[in-house]
Amino acid sequence: MKYSVSLIMVSAALLLGGCGTAGTDASAINGTVVENGKKSLKKVSGREIIAELKQSVKESPERNKAAAAQTESYEYKEGLFGEPTPELAEDMAVQAIEGPTAIEAVEKIYGGYAGFEKEGILFFENQMSGAEQAGIWIGVKEPDERVQKLLDELQPKVDAGEILAEPIYIFRSPHTQKELYELQNEVGRALKGMKSEWGSYGLSVNTITGIIEISHDFLKPAQQKELENMFPDKTFQFEQEGRMVAEPGESSIIYPKQTFTDTPVSEGGFILSAEEGQFFIAGGTEGAVYYNFSEADKLNVGQRVKVEASGGIMLSLPGQGSAKFVEVLPDYEPVGATLSESQAVAKAIEMTDGKTAPGYLVIQEISFDEKEMKWIFKIIQDEKEATLEIADK
């Protein structure tokens, strides 16, 4: 599930002066909630506000101190979340101050986050991402007496100057987090039925908008329309990632226009092993990865290739994944040389049995010495750089 959660904080004027008027009458202490949750107090960012806290004090020194600490943080000063601005400072303060307090109150009133998932949604919005205001948003689909309990839990903290009222928004949500999870699972089942053997997809339902977001490399327009028809009251957003997978009968290996070149090639990694359904690549500009690939038996040990993966790579060592396309690069064949680069690499693999310190041959760089007529490999051995020489014969 994609969560629209991000950084947040409060402008200098609001920090110094607060908002509203001071007082301790019943409405200020208990906040305001619409009767039975049937109406809204107002709209903010197009959302129906059904309850709100009262800014009962003009000064909030404890909150101001906590907010100022955010602007002294390493993350803020070094711009790790963006250029240091009053907007970023406000974004960060809300996330650090109002956010944890509101979340704790929600979990207390609704029986933990799992309990609240059945009732609504919760997310942050920040100005640095284009929101009108920094805030933590608590959305309830079917408001009941617990909304008032939530206000009663939070209002004393506003009165004590620990938090500000304005960045906490309680609104009527059209969906709950549980409903979004269920929707995601339904769409996922439909997608699995459409998925090609080597295709991949990413699926999320936006917590704020409810839009179904799908990234893919196999869905044709007709399949996208089919999904939309299956969920007619939902909005889809499709995004193609990389090239579409090969059609049935088409090869997923891309061969160069010229098989050989007399110019050294710097891109790509080296095929260290290839068998039916899987190949292993390492060295050069590619990471060490075992790839599942239906045409692996058509690849040759020693070839320099670039791989376009299908989906993610498992963070094992070596990595594991599936290849969508394999681009074979031109084989470097120096003028006057007997061996091509791929043949020299195959000999190096044979000489080292394909293994060095990490358990596989890591070729950093290859060059050809035309005077000595030999291939010189810079490799990793015993976790250090080493040199391996192969006679050109």
Side-chain angles (χ1 to χ4, degrees), residues 32-41 48-51 109-110 116 118-121 138-151 170-176:
T32 301
V33 60
V34 294
E35 184 178 359
N36 298 324
K38 298 301 182 182
K39 299 179 181 179
S40 61
L41 298 172
E48 293 182 45
I49 302 300
I50 57 173
I109 300 302
Y110 286 88
F116 185 68
K118 303 174 185 177
E119 306 296 333
I121 59 174
I138 303 168
V140 182
K141 185 174 182 179
E142 298 290 342
D144 55 25
E145 71 281 354
R146 287 174 292 183
V147 174
Q148 182 63 58
K149 291 180 180 180
L150 183 59
L151 292 180
I170 303 174
F171 72 104
R172 189 189 312 279
S173 173
H175 47 249
T176 69

Side-chain angles (χ1 to χ4, degrees), residues 261-268 270 304 329-332 341 366:
T261 178
D262 57 6
T263 303
V265 179
S266 59
E267 295 182 299
F270 303 97
R304 189 190 282 262
L329 300 173
D331 197 0
Y332 174 41
E341 181 185 72
I366 302 175

Side-chain angles (χ1 to χ4, degrees), residues 351-371:
M351 180 181 294
T352 62
D353 195 24
K355 296 180 180 179
T356 58
Y360 48 87
L361 180 62
V362 178
I363 302 172
Q364 293 184 301
E365 187 180 318
I366 302 175
S367 61
F368 180 68
D369 187 333
E370 58 183 19
K371 292 183 178 179

Side-chain angles (χ1 to χ4, degrees), residues 2 202 213-217 219 224 237-242:
K2 178 177 288 185
E213 301 170 351
I214 299 175
S215 59
H216 68 95
D217 58 10
L219 284 172
Q224 295 178 23
Q237 180 176 303
F238 298 98
E239 181 179 357
Q240 182 180 323
E241 286 196 344

Side-chain angles (χ1 to χ4, degrees), residues 317 356-360 362 364 379-386:
L317 191 63
T356 58
Y360 48 87
V362 178
Q364 293 184 301
I379 65 173
I380 298 294
Q381 192 170 46
D382 297 328
E383 299 183 356
K384 297 179 181 178
E385 291 187 357

Side-chain angles (χ1 to χ4, degrees), residues 6-11 15 61-100 124 162:
S6 37
L7 293 172
I8 0 193
M9 201 168 177
V10 178
S11 68
L15 285 172
E62 185 176 341
R63 200 276 183 187
N64 292 349
K65 182 178 179 181
Q70 297 300 309
T71 61
E72 296 299 318
S73 68
Y74 173 83
E75 292 81 4
Y76 178 79
K77 289 184 174 181
E78 294 299 317
L80 297 187
F81 302 127
E83 181 183 354
T85 62
E87 290 76 21
L88 176 60
E90 186 174 352
D91 290 344
M92 291 178 64
V94 172
Q95 185 168 14
I97 303 168
E98 281 76 26
F124 288 96
E162 298 174 14

Side-chain angles (χ1 to χ4, degrees), residues 39-336:
K39 299 179 181 179
S40 61
L41 298 172
K42 58 185 177 182
K43 280 193 174 184
V44 178
S45 297
R47 303 178 185 121
E48 293 182 45
I49 302 300
I50 57 173
E52 63 181 358
L53 297 163
K54 298 297 183 181
Q55 189 61 44
S56 54
V57 295
K58 290 184 177 181
E59 300 293 337
S60 301
E62 185 176 341
R63 200 276 183 187
N64 292 349
K65 182 178 179 181
Q70 297 300 309
T71 61
E72 296 299 318
S73 68
Y74 173 83
E75 292 81 4
Y76 178 79
K77 289 184 174 181
E78 294 299 317
L80 297 187
F81 302 127
E83 181 183 354
T85 62
E87 290 76 21
L88 176 60
E90 186 174 352
D91 290 344
M92 291 178 64
V94 172
Q95 185 168 14
I97 303 168
E98 281 76 26
T101 302
I103 291 171
E104 182 180 356
V106 166
E107 292 182 346
K108 178 179 178 180
I109 300 302
Y110 286 88
Y113 189 72
F116 185 68
E117 285 181 335
K118 303 174 185 177
E119 306 296 333
I121 59 174
L122 189 151
F123 58 85
F124 288 96
E125 282 193 327
N126 67 84
Q127 298 169 96
M128 294 298 288
S129 296
E132 295 178 10
Q133 64 284 307
I136 178 167
W137 292 77
I138 303 168
V140 182
K141 185 174 182 179
E142 298 290 342
D144 55 25
E145 71 281 354
R146 287 174 292 183
V147 174
Q148 182 63 58
K149 291 180 180 180
L150 183 59
L151 292 180
D152 293 341
E153 182 72 22
L154 291 171
Q155 187 62 50
K157 299 183 184 299
V158 177
D159 300 338
E162 298 174 14
I163 62 174
L164 295 177
E166 186 176 18
I168 301 176
Y169 297 93
I170 303 174
F171 72 104
R172 189 189 312 279
S173 173
H175 47 249
T176 69
Q177 192 68 58
K178 184 174 183 292
E179 290 172 341
L180 296 184
Y181 283 138
E182 292 172 347
L183 174 60
Q184 179 173 290
N185 290 336
E186 287 182 41
V187 176
R189 286 191 289 271
L191 274 171
K192 286 181 180 178
M194 298 178 176
K195 181 179 175 294
S196 64
E197 182 181 3
W198 299 104
S200 65
Y201 66 85
L203 167 64
S204 63
V205 181
N206 191 290
T207 296
I208 301 175
T209 65
I211 293 175
I212 303 168
E213 301 170 351
I214 299 175
S215 59
H216 68 95
D217 58 10
F218 67 92
L219 284 172
K220 297 181 176 62
Q223 292 174 306
Q224 295 178 23
K225 187 65 177 177
E226 182 181 349
L227 278 171
E228 291 174 334
N229 291 337
M230 291 172 67
F231 302 90
D233 59 337
K234 304 301 180 184
T235 301
F236 283 78
Q237 180 176 303
F238 298 98
E239 181 179 357
Q240 182 180 323
E241 286 196 344
R243 289 175 287 192
M244 294 283 279
V245 295
E247 294 286 342
E250 293 181 351
S251 176
S252 296
I253 300 177
I254 303 171
Y255 292 98
K257 293 181 179 179
Q258 291 184 306
T259 304
F260 296 98
T261 178
D262 57 6
T263 303
V265 179
S266 59
E267 295 182 299
F270 303 97
I271 300 290
L272 300 189
S273 67
E275 54 191 36
E276 186 173 352
Q278 187 183 73
F279 69 90
F280 178 48
I281 184 174
T285 58
E286 295 278 329
V289 182
Y290 280 100
Y291 284 105
N292 294 320
F293 187 56
S294 60
E295 299 179 72
D297 56 345
K298 297 179 183 178
L299 300 172
N300 298 318
V301 171
Q303 282 180 318
R304 189 190 282 262
V305 303
K306 291 197 296 185
V307 180
E308 182 175 341
S310 177
I313 304 297
M314 289 181 60
L315 298 178
S316 52
L317 191 63
Q320 300 177 60
S322 295
K324 179 166 58 173
F325 288 100
V326 175
E327 180 182 356
V328 178
L329 300 173
D331 197 0
Y332 174 41
E333 189 175 61
V335 176

